[in-house]
Amino acid sequence: MDRTIRLLTIGALLASALAVGGCSTQIADLPGVGLPADAPPRAKETGAYLPVHDLPPDREESAMAPAERAKVQSELIAARDRQASAAAAKAAASK
């Protein structure tokens, strides 16, 4: 019984180590594990990826038409105003 528990514990630790280690990019570089066949190629040099704080390149076309952008902005302003008035009413009711 005690041996079975040890084996199960070791198996659970091994399985959890593999699960956590699967997040690591080095695991994909191991022979026999590798990447899926349909995965895009990864850059081998470290400078190929943009740093986190860099902005993506400018777009050729705008993501949103100016009229649609104005509509969304007005809806957000209206929602903010409704939230502020509801908070003020709640504060006044609690006094």
Side-chain angles (χ1 to χ4, degrees), residues 2 7 9 12-14 17-18 23 26 32 34 43 52 55 59 67 86:
D2 191 38
L7 287 175
T9 303
L13 287 173
L14 181 62
L18 287 174
C23 298
Q26 291 85 5
V52 174
L55 295 174
R59 296 177 178 228

Side-chain angles (χ1 to χ4, degrees), residues 14-84:
L14 181 62
S16 63
L18 287 174
V20 171
C23 298
S24 177
T25 57
Q26 291 85 5
I27 297 291
D29 293 332
L30 291 174
V33 176
L35 292 172
D38 59 343
R42 294 184 300 155
K44 294 294 181 186
E45 62 275 353
T46 57
Y49 296 108
L50 289 175
V52 174
H53 62 281
D54 276 3
L55 295 174
D58 291 335
R59 296 177 178 228
E60 295 285 328
E61 58 190 48
S62 63
M64 207 183 261
E68 186 178 0
R69 182 180 178 139
K71 179 183 173 198
V72 169
Q73 284 178 339
S74 66
E75 289 172 355
L76 288 172
I77 290 170
R80 181 186 63 200
D81 292 343
R82 284 192 306 271
Q83 185 179 18

